[in-house]
Amino acid sequence: AELCRRLETEEEKVLPFYPSSLGEMEQQKARMVLEETASEPLARVMKDYIGLEKFWQRFNKAKLEEKGLEKARAALADRNQELRRLLQQYLVGATIHKKVPKDPHPL
């Protein structure tokens, strides 16, 4: 995290995480559970990795942004194809219009 700090945007430095969706009572219960000494081996090992919680929050935020950008890119690509199709139709119509004689009654 310290090495990546220089790569953070200003927004991430000021407000790095989303606010918690837990209520006050739920947050207190979560803190109490984290402060308890674990009896199971897996729970004791997991306490060593609590520091990675912020990393995973950032990772997941980046993944969500990536998915959002992929959807936006796909939508823009579709829009681009539609505009190209409309332009092609316009150009075909413009070339046909030039072939029509300007004087409808030559006689």
Side-chain angles (χ1 to χ4, degrees):
E2 291 174 9
L3 293 173
C4 295
R5 178 79 175 160
R6 63 185 172 90
L7 301 174
E8 292 177 350
T9 63
E10 288 297 319
E11 181 181 329
E12 289 174 328
K13 289 178 183 177
V14 175
L15 185 62
F17 306 111
Y18 298 115
S20 176
S21 61
L22 297 176
E24 186 61 35
M25 291 298 291
E26 293 171 318
Q27 287 180 359
Q28 288 177 357
K29 287 180 183 178
R31 278 189 225 112
M32 287 174 43
V33 168
L34 288 174
E35 291 171 358
E36 291 177 2
T37 56
S39 59
E40 298 177 14
L42 180 60
R44 279 182 263 148
V45 171
M46 286 181 63
K47 279 203 172 235
D48 294 338
Y49 295 99
I50 288 176
L52 291 176
E53 182 179 350
K54 291 181 181 182
F55 164 77
W56 287 114
Q57 286 177 340
R58 287 183 178 169
F59 178 82
N60 290 333
K61 181 182 175 188
K63 279 300 213 186
L64 285 173
E65 289 176 2
E66 179 185 14
K67 293 295 181 187
L69 289 172
E70 284 176 2
K71 283 186 176 185
R73 183 178 183 269
L76 288 172
D78 291 343
R79 178 73 175 143
N80 188 25
Q81 288 297 335
E82 177 67 17
L83 290 173
R84 286 177 184 263
R85 187 184 60 75
L86 290 173
L87 180 62
Q88 189 65 31
Q89 285 179 353
Y90 173 78
L91 292 174
V92 166
T95 56
I96 291 174
H97 182 68
K98 288 180 181 178
K99 291 180 182 178
V100 175
K102 291 183 182 181
D103 188 11
H105 303 290
L107 294 175

